[in-house]
């Protein structure tokens, strides 16, 4: 076991005390609990791919509402990041930071400079963004599910 030398509290919100307290759980316990909590649930968050990767779990795309991947919340690049004709100027979408989305769409100030990162604050911001745009978002997911079913039925 390697000793942790930097908890990256400014990014993670985790402190040494969080991991050494009597309430701390092992990685395996956390992984199992998270997987159980997510089962048959819609998960709302920002940049969830990173969390899934670290935890070594997955979640169905149709039950995931990631504010980093919701196209109306993304920005287009002026210049393509690929030298690929299928990505002409202005069609490459990239995620906006949650801090920017929260301020622009909700008037919320989060992740203030010089203050410890708050995962709870981030979760609230992501949930509020989802709730504010739920109707349109759910219609988009429904359309994508219908398209996916039509394609898979044709392939059979």
């Amino acid at each position: 076991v390697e000793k942790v030398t930097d908890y990256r509290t400014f990014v993670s919100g985790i402190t040494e005390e969080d991991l050494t307290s009597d309430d701390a759980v092992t990685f395996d316990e956390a992984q199992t609990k998270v997987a159980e909590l997510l089962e048959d649930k819609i998960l709302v968050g920002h940049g969830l791919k990173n969390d899934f990767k670290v935890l070594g779990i997955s979640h169905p795309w149709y039950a995931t509402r990631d504010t980093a991947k919701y196209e109306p919340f993304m920005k287009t690049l002026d210049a393509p990041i690929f030298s690929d004709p299928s990505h002409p100027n202005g069609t490459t979408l990239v995620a906006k930071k949650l801090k920017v989305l929260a301020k622009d769409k909700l008037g919320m100030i989060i992740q203030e400079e010089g203050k410890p990162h708050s995962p709870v604050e981030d979760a609230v911001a992501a949930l509020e963004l989802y709730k504010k745009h739920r109707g349109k978002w759910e219609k988009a997911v429904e359309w994508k599910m219908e398209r996916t079913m039509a394609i898979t039925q044709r392939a059979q």
Side-chain angles (χ1 to χ4, degrees):
V1 176
E2 286 186 49
K3 179 170 174 39
V4 176
T5 58
D6 183 357
Y7 291 88
R8 297 180 41 83
T9 302
F10 72 96
V11 174
S12 68
I14 296 172
T15 64
E16 181 176 8
E17 294 77 33
D18 292 329
L19 298 179
T20 58
S21 78
D22 291 338
D23 294 327
V25 297
T26 67
F27 175 81
D28 289 341
E29 290 170 322
Q31 183 184 49
T32 300
K33 184 66 174 176
V34 170
E36 288 172 1
L37 286 170
L38 294 181
E39 195 167 331
D40 300 323
K41 304 283 189 320
I42 293 176
L43 176 64
V44 177
H46 186 83
L48 294 169
K49 180 173 109 173
N50 302 322
D51 300 309
F52 292 146
K53 183 178 178 184
V54 168
L55 284 168
I57 61 173
S58 62
H59 197 61
W61 67 266
Y62 54 83
T64 303
R65 307 296 182 268
D66 191 335
T67 57
K69 295 292 183 187
Y70 183 52
E71 288 184 20
F73 290 172
M74 298 176 83
K75 62 183 174 184
T76 56
L77 295 180
D78 290 335
I81 58 174
F82 309 103
S83 57
D84 178 347
S86 68
H87 289 86
N89 286 350
T91 62
T92 302
L93 295 174
V94 293
K96 288 184 182 178
K97 293 180 182 283
L98 181 60
K99 176 180 184 170
V100 171
L101 289 171
K103 185 170 189 266
D104 292 352
K105 304 232 177 251
L106 302 170
M108 286 177 69
I109 305 298
I110 63 169
Q111 302 174 3
E112 290 185 80
E113 194 75 33
K115 291 189 178 178
H117 189 96
S118 170
V120 172
E121 199 174 67
D122 286 0
V124 168
L127 185 58
E128 290 302 319
L129 283 163
Y130 169 70
K131 286 167 40 180
K132 187 172 181 179
H133 298 269
R134 179 186 309 172
K136 185 176 175 185
W137 200 327
E138 290 305 318
K139 283 181 182 166
V141 171
E142 184 180 337
W143 182 85
K144 287 178 182 180
M145 287 180 66
E146 287 172 2
R147 294 283 303 136
T148 300
M149 283 191 269
I151 290 167
T152 52
Q153 287 174 351
R154 269 187 275 157
Q156 293 174 355

